[in-house]
Structures are given as C-alpha cells and as structure tokens.
Amino acid sequence: MIKVEDLTVAFGGLKAVKQVSLEIGDGEIFGVVGESGSGKSVTALAIMGLLNEEASVLSGRITMDGVTLLEAGRKRDKALYRKLQGSRMSMVFQEPMTSLNPTRRAGAQVEEVLRLHPEAWRDPAAPRERAGAVRRQMREKVLEMFSAVGLREPEKVYNSYPHQLSGGMRQRVMIAMAVILNPQLIVCDEPTTALDVTVQNQIIGLLKRINERQKNSMLFITHDLNLARRICDRVAVMKDGRVVETGRTGELFAAPREAYTRNLIEAVPTRMGRIGGERRIAAEKILEVKDLSVYYSDGSSRPFAGGGKQCAVSHATFDIRRGEVLGLVGESGCGKTSLSKAVLGMNRDIEGSVVHRTVRPQMIFQDPYSSLNPSRTVGWLLQEPLIARGRLDASQAMSRADREAAARDMLRRVGMEETYFDRKPSQLSGGQRQRVSIAQALITGPGLVIADEPVSALDVTMQRQILELMRALQEEMELSCLFISHDINVIYQMSDRIMVMKEGRILEIGEREEIFRDPKEEYTKQLLAES
Amino acid sequence: MRARKSRNNYLTVGLIMTTAAVCLAVLGVFWTPYSTTAMSAAEKFCAPSLRHLFGTDNYGRDIFSRVMKGMGTTTLIGSLVVLLSGSAGILIGALTGYCGGWIDEAVMRLTDAVNGFPSILLALVMITILGSGRQNLILSLGIVFAPSFIRIVRSEFIRLRDADYISRARMMGVGRGRILFVHILPNILSTFWVSVMIGFNNAILAESGMSYLGIGVKPPDASLGNMLSDAQGYLEMAPWYALAPGLAIVWIVLGISLFGEGIRRIPG
C-alpha cells in the first residue's frame, strides 16, 4: 500500500535517513524500531508529508497505492497532501498535551477534521442540509468515536479542555481524531511513551482493536522493542538512518540476523537474571522510615494565595540496610517523588520519622539534561561536592590538587576519559551526562543514594550500560540505594527487595523473588502481567 | 554539524558603533580639539567646516568638542545608573526570587508601586526633594530603573531555583549564598546582559531628557541633553547645533541596541 524506495533525507549536510526502503501492506501493522537519532521519526514525517523546508530529499520516492507522493528532485505537492492528510492518512503523536490545542475543547478539535474533509464522510450527492443539521451529525459522529476509543463519558470529554483530561484520555482523543475518517494509513510516533505502563497497555490494545476493525495499515514508530513485539506484524530495525534488518516480528525476535538487532534485543530489561553478582548485605539499617506521611500545599506559601493540604504519601514504613538496593515501583503520581524528597529532607511538611545513619544522602535524577549545571565544566561539577563538604566539616577539607585528583579518579570510575574533564554538559551525550551525574552523586561516598528513574530517559543499550555501572559502583562502595522506576523489569534486575506503591500508599514490600513469584496484591499482579 | 550560515552582524555593527562612541568619549575626558568652555564672540554660529567639524554655538564654543565631552558625561551617568540599578536588581532579585514568601511579596508590591508612576516623573519628584546635581540624578534614576532589573532577575531565579541541579547543590550542603551567586547566577547572565543594554539606553535617554529640562547636568558642563536644550532656540539659525548632540544620542542608543540584540543571538 505504502511503498518507500531508496529514500534519503538530509538536513543541511547531515543525512538523517539513508537509502531507506520499506513497504507497508494493507491492514498491516508495521513497526520501525530504533534508538533516538536513528531516523525513524524523519521517515514517518516524510511519509506524512510533514518534512519542513530545511529537509531536502536527495533520492528515492514514496508512493501510496501507486500514486507518487514524494519524489527526489520534484517539488512537493502540497495540495495533494492537504487532501490526503486527515482523511486518508493521519498521525498520532507522542505528547498528547502539546499536540492538542490547549485553548479549544476536545470535541471541537475532533470535529475540525470532519469539517475540513466533508467529502470523506458525507455523500457528495446528498442534498445540502442546514448548517445546524450538519453540526448535529458531526457531534454525534464525534461522540460515537469517543465511546469507540474507550472514553467512558463521551459527553463530558467532548466539552473538556485538554488540561482537564488525563494523559491517557488525551491520547484517546488524539486517536479518535486520527481514526474518525477511517484513513488507510495511521502513523503512530511513540504513541505511548509519555504514558504510564497500565495506560500504555490499554492504548496498545485499543490501537490493535482499531486495526482489526477498520483494517487500516499502521506505521508504528517506537524505541521500545517489547512494544513492537506485542503489536507489530512486521518490524524494521533502524540505525544511523539505515534499515539494518526487516522481518516478520516473530522471526526477527527469535533469530535476529544482524549483530545490532541482537544487541538491541538483549539490552531490553527482562526478568532473566539480575545485574551483578551476589551481594553482601549487612544487618545494619542505613535508613529507617516509620509511619511517614508527606503533605504538599496546593497553593504556594504566598500570603494571598490560600491553599489546602494534600496528602502525597500516607503512613509509609520501611527500611534499607547497608549495601542493599530497595526497588520502588509505581506509576506517575503515586507519591514516589514526594517520598524520596521527604527522605532527603527536602520536604519539611511531614509526619512520622525518617532516620538515616549517613551523611547527606544524594539523589540521581531522571533527566540528565536538567541535573547538571549547564554553565560549568565536568571538572567543576565533580569538585563542588567536595568543596561543599569541606566547608561544612573542616576535617574533610581537601587541597585543590587533592580535589582535582579525586574528581579525575571518579570520572575514570564511571567509565569516562579524562579528556571530558574540561567539557561542559552541552558537549556530552545523554548517557555521558548520566555518568557524570552518577559521579557527582557518589564522589563524597554518601552511603545512601536515591535514584529516581535514572535510566528512563535513555536508549535501551545505554540503559543497560548505566544499570551495570550503577550496580558495580554500588557493590564497590557498599552503597544503600532506593531505586525508583516505573519499569518493573528494571526493578527486578537491580533490586534486592521490592516495594510497590499506589496512590500514596505502600501496598507491599518483600524479597524480590517473593514479589515476582507470589504477589499478594491485585495491583502488583496487574503490573507483572502487563510488562 | 551544519555550518552556521548567518553571521552575527548585529554583534559586529553594534560593537563597532559602541566602541567608536566610547573611544571618542574617553578621549574627550583628556583632550578636545578646543576648550569646551572658552567663548569667542567672533566665532558665533560658524557653520560646520574643517576648522569646526560640527560648527560653533551661540557663545562661539566648538560643538564637536562639546559633543565629545557631553558623550562622556552622558555615558558615564548612564553607566553609573545601570551599575546601581543592575546591582540592586541582582541582589534583591536573587534573594526574593530564590526565597519567595513574605519578603518576595513585599518587594514585588513595592516595585509595582514604583512602576505605577511614569519613570521620568518619579525621578523628577525625587530630584525636587533631593536637589539637582549629578549624584542626585544618578541616584534617582538608579532607584527608578531598579524595579525592572529586580523583576527580570527574580523571574530567572524562580525559573531555576527548582532545577534539578540546584536541588542537587542543596543536597550537597552548598551554602545559600554560593547557590545564588555561583550556581544560579552564571546561568542567567545572558538574559541579564540584554536587559542591561536596554536599561543603559533608557538611562541615557532619561539623562538627556532630564538635562534638557534643566534639572540634570548644569551648564557650563556639557551633556548631550543640555546641549539640545540650548540648541532649541537657534533651530532655524543654526540647525547643526541641535543635530550634533541629537545624532550622538541616536548613535549611542542604536549601537548599544544592536550590541544587545547581538548578545541575545549568540547561540547557547
């Protein structure tokens, strides 16, 4: 149905897509898998005719049912695309918050598609009707679509603004918009990446049902191999702008031909074995949390803005022993971050007790782009914790030369060369930044570290390396760690014990194997089943 | 990476214009072609010539020399005003932005109050109370311009105070002062410099305006504003008299504006 032949797209002198050929059959779900920068999104944009002016097509062409949409050396046919977009091909984006217009109601935005393409849903031979009647028909059609995509209260959603809807609901609205005219091709660019695991599964199920019912072709772009495996009929693996391997999903995953594909598949966290060897866990408790409740005020502390208190965490009790990794799993908004802030003493509005037997526990953040000061060099960043410690405790003060040596040593220990010492964060890749971030947290030997989704922002192969690094350092330094993640497989690989949280409560805590073999709570079972 | 196609012309032109003006002004402090105060009845209202580049004024003084001096006076006052209000902006803005709470609220309402009046009018009132003269002019313009700096610095500090890397600095036990001025400040400098440029231009225009009204720099000292004011009466007889200080003001303001825009466009 869609045929891409020998496509090369460049931005300036940089080729983002190199000689890509692929073919999507009728009713097929075709996956394109690759790490960030592999050219998968540019390929999708080229098919949708959404490449911007800076992109130049150097070779190849794209055809849909034999009609040429895009060809190297030919002017782009904007009129043709305007006719196709929305009615015969449509797109679901990653971030439903920014791809919906925040100032218009959800219903009106979906209706817009119907208004722009009357030929696609109304019989052109039918007599002209009054505007009111047409409006009523559109409204009915939208409401019908809303219930078809599993929105429970279509009327309410119809009249809601995007910010009044949850992430999952917004994505359902986006999908309704994409499929309402029953297009032949739906391009989904990381449609579930911004969503929680349970919601993610519902959306995947929905897309699959739509595909079965409407028989449209789907191009499914993702970095997540597990996802591709679950939904796609065929998969293409992309790397550095090229298609490395294409095949039926089952065959490709069972017997990958290319080394890169094999690496990619092996890097995906699974419940097979853990990272690192046997651990020495002492009996000594490094952190003891008793009956901890954490509150936040929903206004600020400003005097003219009143505001009530909300409970983010209620009655949490747990402990971490020396050298132990406690995995904390739960969805966004379950109180994971509030809990970790309270443990670090950054939130004072708490009840209960937090006792830790260590100096200044540290934190490793999720986003390596915002956790390093952009105006300082790596060397400066690594020395700053030592300076701060020296100022607080004169017995720990170090000379300039000692500090620099310690910083260089730490940089080496996180697997980076000394040449990075004088670079700024903007000159590093995401994985390198996360390494520096880890080095900065561990350089003072803090004893207790909270890692808040430390690998969620990274590509799978990078994820694996960072997890291994953390594990090695943790064993070497006898570090205790509260490891937070939404990915239960990552938790399995890293943790000794596991704690499951939902809506501010700890549902269960147990040894790793115990939780995985014999979960007590329904919610835990659900989490396990869905990953 | 892709080669940068557009060169930063704003920065180049702005820098050249500003440097030329500053050189002329600095030179004027030590040397001028003629005395700026010596009068000569014989050389009243000479038209621009090689002898007198911009001609002479109603007292026979060389306008070019006086423009050099005047530029010096005006840019010095402008710089001091910006130095005063800019440092107040950084100190107060950093503190209120980072700490928030009651202090923040109080300072913000105070700046609202200052902003509520036209700035020239407020400076006028202050000078009426304090008495005229350079120091008072600088002080009152400094006070009037401080709120805009406070607001800019404050909003930048609010934006950055909850950044992960700042939370992290707190966790390390870095002191508050060091967080404010070593961790956060370098990250707001590009924004701050742009507002300094704008503030400097406003200060120059305000100084000229006040001197024009006769409450800034007093004759016989030359400032671009009081020269304009003197020239007003002779607009038809000697148009070059008004043109020279006017062009000097435009030159400085334009140069600084382009320079500021150039800074803003530096990538990263």
Side-chain angles (χ1 to χ4, degrees):
Chain A
M1 203 211 75
I2 279 274
K3 214 167 162 186
V4 178
E5 293 162 272
D6 193 35
L7 181 73
T8 304
V9 181
F11 294 90
L14 198 81
K15 286 180 187 167
V17 172
K18 298 168 194 159
Q19 296 170 322
V20 165
S21 297
L22 34 98
E23 212 172 312
I24 307 171
D26 278 320
E28 183 179 48
I29 303 186
F30 187 87
V32 175
V33 188
E35 302 190 293
S36 50
S38 63
K40 53 191 194 308
S41 286
V42 177
T43 309
L45 292 176
I47 293 174
M48 283 298 295
L50 294 174
L51 287 176
N52 60 20
E53 295 297 325
E54 279 169 44
S56 48
V57 180
L58 298 183
S59 76
R61 61 179 183 158
I62 299 173
T63 54
M64 185 181 195
D65 289 334
V67 181
T68 304
L69 303 180
L70 185 78
E71 191 165 12
R74 248 182 42 183
K75 245 188 93 164
R76 278 174 228 167
D77 191 345
K78 288 192 178 145
L80 173 68
Y81 264 114
R82 205 168 301 133
K83 222 167 69 196
L84 295 178
Q85 281 164 356
S87 62
R88 291 188 57 202
M89 55 191 346
S90 64
M91 190 151 179
V92 178
F93 294 92
Q94 171 172 355
E95 185 38 73
M97 192 66 224
T98 50
S99 43
L100 288 173
N101 184 340
T103 61
R104 301 190 62 204
R105 295 176 199 274
Q109 294 191 51
V110 181
E111 269 177 19
E112 183 92 17
V113 182
L114 298 177
R115 194 169 295 124
L116 289 172
H117 298 280
E119 78 287 347
W121 62 284
R122 298 186 64 211
D123 183 2
R128 273 182 68 91
E129 288 171 276
R130 282 203 330 276
V134 176
R135 212 173 300 138
R136 211 163 31 248
Q137 283 175 18
M138 290 201 292
R139 188 185 144 87
E140 261 161 39
K141 213 168 151 53
V142 170
L143 288 176
E144 206 176 285
M145 200 66 232
F146 275 173
S147 34
V149 296
L151 286 162
R152 249 167 260 138
E153 292 170 283
E155 288 276 352
K156 203 170 150 198
V157 174
Y158 186 93
N159 288 316
S160 299
Y161 288 98
H163 72 267
Q164 295 170 314
L165 305 171
S166 72
M169 285 157 91
R170 283 199 287 265
Q171 200 58 300
R172 283 175 200 270
V173 171
M174 273 298 294
I175 292 172
M177 202 188 275
V179 303
I180 192 163
L181 291 176
N182 195 10
Q184 281 157 289
L185 176 71
I186 303 170
V187 177
C188 305
D189 189 0
E190 304 266 7
T192 61
T193 308
L195 305 173
D196 279 327
V197 211
T198 44
V199 182
Q200 190 172 328
N201 281 289
Q202 293 163 7
I203 297 290
I204 292 295
L206 171 66
L207 287 172
K208 235 179 157 156
R209 276 202 306 284
I210 289 171
N211 171 260
E212 276 158 22
R213 194 172 58 219
Q214 300 194 344
K215 301 279 181 243
N216 8 38
S217 307
M218 254 181 217
L219 175 60
F220 194 89
I221 311 261
T222 182
H223 70 280
D224 187 337
L225 277 98
N226 271 336
L227 223 59
R229 180 186 238 161
R230 289 221 304 275
I231 186 170
C232 300
D233 302 316
R234 284 196 309 141
V235 173
V237 179
M238 280 187 80
K239 189 200 177 200
D240 296 334
R242 289 180 199 284
V243 172
V244 178
E245 189 170 357
T246 314
R248 302 214 65 82
T249 308
E251 291 162 22
L252 188 128
F253 276 91
R257 283 192 308 269
E258 299 291 327
Y260 177 73
T261 317
R262 213 169 305 132
N263 279 342
L264 211 58
I265 293 171
E266 278 165 15
V268 173
T270 56
R271 264 170 255 157
M272 308 278 283
R274 71 207 302 189
I275 299 174
E278 264 319 296
R279 298 169 197 189
R280 302 184 307 264
I281 298 171
E284 182 197 359
K285 285 178 180 167
I286 285 291
L287 174 73
E288 270 182 279
V289 174
K290 278 205 187 96
D291 204 28
L292 175 73
S293 296
V294 183
Y295 301 93
Y296 64 92
S297 57
D298 34 15
S300 60
S301 56
R302 294 164 67 98
F304 300 121
K309 262 185 179 182
Q310 298 268 333
C311 186
V313 177
S314 70
H315 306 288
T317 300
F318 63 94
D319 53 51
I320 302 180
R321 285 167 292 167
R322 180 183 291 281
E324 183 185 45
V325 178
L326 177 66
L328 169 54
V329 65
E331 300 188 339
S332 58
C334 75
K336 290 177 297 192
T337 304
S338 300
L339 182 66
S340 53
K341 279 195 173 161
V343 169
L344 289 167
M346 287 165 68
N347 188 343
R348 309 237 173 258
D349 199 359
I350 57 174
E351 280 168 18
S353 78
V354 176
V355 181
H356 56 77
R357 291 178 190 78
T358 163
V359 209
R360 302 207 158 266
Q362 294 294 312
M363 184 150 171
I364 298 166
F365 292 88
Q366 170 174 4
D367 182 3
Y369 286 86
S370 67
S371 57
L372 297 175
N373 194 329
S375 57
R376 299 294 182 179
T377 62
V378 169
W380 189 93
L381 289 168
L382 293 184
Q383 290 176 57
E384 186 65 7
L386 300 173
I387 295 174
R389 184 176 65 175
R391 289 201 174 178
L392 292 170
D393 178 0
S395 70
Q396 304 249 35
M398 295 166 91
S399 74
R400 200 190 171 84
D402 284 351
R403 253 189 350 241
E404 209 180 301
R408 285 184 192 277
D409 179 52
M410 195 67 219
L411 196 61
R412 223 186 46 231
R413 282 167 78 182
V414 294
M416 283 177 72
E417 287 165 35
E418 282 201 16
T419 45
Y420 290 105
F421 198 76
D422 295 315
R423 304 253 181 107
K424 288 193 173 173
S426 58
Q427 295 163 298
L428 306 179
S429 72
Q432 288 172 332
R433 282 165 180 242
Q434 202 59 310
R435 281 172 197 268
V436 173
S437 193
I438 290 170
Q440 203 191 12
L442 298 188
I443 193 162
T444 51
L448 174 65
V449 165
I450 296 182
D452 190 358
E453 304 265 9
V455 296
S456 307
L458 304 174
D459 282 327
V460 260
T461 46
M462 198 54 73
Q463 261 186 26
R464 177 83 195 183
Q465 290 171 21
I466 296 291
L467 290 176
E468 275 165 5
L469 171 71
M470 286 183 70
R471 198 59 248 197
L473 288 170
Q474 189 256 332
E475 276 163 31
E476 197 180 309
M477 301 173 88
E478 276 209 321
L479 213 61
S480 307
C481 180
L482 177 62
F483 190 96
I484 303 174
S485 179
H486 69 278
D487 186 336
I488 197 148
N489 292 337
V490 169
I491 291 277
Y492 181 84
Q493 290 187 330
M494 290 297 288
S495 315
D496 301 303
R497 278 190 304 149
I498 292 171
M499 177 156 92
V500 182
M501 248 183 119
K502 192 194 180 193
E503 288 163 9
R505 285 171 194 286
I506 294 176
L507 290 184
E508 58 182 322
I509 307 179
E511 293 296 323
R512 180 180 71 141
E513 295 301 332
E514 198 182 300
I515 295 276
F516 273 80
R517 294 237 175 79
D518 181 24
K520 304 270 180 306
E521 297 285 328
E522 203 47 51
Y523 180 72
T524 316
K525 284 179 195 159
Q526 203 184 331
L527 275 181
L528 287 171
E530 276 165 352
S531 59
Chain B
M1 274 313 285
R2 211 171 132 210
R4 264 202 6 248
K5 258 195 266 167
S6 58
R7 294 210 319 279
N8 201 332
N9 288 331
Y10 288 93
L11 198 64
T12 324
V13 176
L15 206 60
I16 291 170
M17 288 179 76
T18 313
T19 316
V22 169
C23 285
L24 213 57
V26 170
L27 182 66
V29 177
F30 304 105
W31 176 84
T32 47
Y34 296 90
S35 161
T36 52
T37 46
M39 303 181 195
S40 152
E43 293 200 307
K44 266 166 66 170
F45 297 125
C46 288
S49 65
L50 278 180
R51 235 168 87 79
H52 297 287
L53 271 181
F54 291 167
T56 57
D57 65 8
N58 50 333
Y59 296 115
R61 296 173 296 193
D62 179 47
I63 296 179
F64 184 69
S65 303
R66 285 182 61 79
V67 165
M68 278 170 77
K69 263 274 195 286
M71 267 164 72
T73 314
T74 304
T75 43
L76 181 70
I77 291 177
S79 314
L80 288 174
V81 166
V82 170
L83 188 72
L84 191 71
S85 50
S87 352
I90 286 193
L91 280 174
I92 301 173
L95 225 61
T96 57
Y98 186 72
C99 304
W102 272 106
I103 315 166
D104 182 39
E105 200 69 42
V107 171
M108 278 306 105
R109 295 297 78 79
L110 201 66
T111 60
D112 282 346
V114 175
N115 278 339
F117 298 98
S119 52
I120 295 278
L121 191 67
L122 198 64
L124 253 167
V125 172
M126 269 191 255
I127 285 187
T128 320
I129 299 167
L130 296 170
S132 63
R134 281 186 195 204
Q135 289 88 340
N136 290 339
L137 180 68
I138 293 168
L139 185 66
S140 49
L141 285 180
I143 293 173
V144 169
F145 284 153
S148 65
F149 285 107
I150 294 176
R151 277 190 177 273
I152 288 162
V153 174
R154 172 182 173 270
S155 65
E156 287 292 290
F157 269 78
I158 288 178
R159 185 170 65 83
L160 292 180
R161 72 176 172 203
D162 294 321
D164 286 347
Y165 59 88
I166 300 303
S167 307
R168 182 165 233 179
R170 271 196 292 269
M171 270 177 237
M172 289 173 204
V174 179
R176 183 174 284 187
R178 196 171 162 84
I179 288 186
L180 286 180
F181 298 113
V182 179
H183 286 253
I184 302 185
L185 192 60
N187 291 303
I188 74 158
L189 282 183
S190 62
T191 315
F192 183 69
W193 284 126
V194 173
S195 63
V196 162
M197 300 295 161
I198 296 168
F200 182 72
N201 277 343
N202 287 338
I204 283 180
L205 292 175
E207 188 280 329
S208 303
M210 309 272 278
S211 299
Y212 175 81
L213 293 173
I215 46 172
V217 178
K218 292 276 186 230
D221 285 352
S223 102
L224 297 175
N226 68 22
M227 286 176 74
L228 266 180
S229 161
D230 289 344
Q232 193 179 227
Y234 312 104
L235 213 49
E236 277 178 34
M237 200 194 304
W240 57 85
Y241 190 7
L243 210 57
L247 280 179
I249 293 175
V250 171
W251 180 274
I252 296 173
V253 171
L254 192 63
I256 298 278
S257 295
L258 291 175
F259 186 45
E261 180 66 16
I263 289 183
R264 203 178 61 78
R265 290 184 183 224
I266 293 173

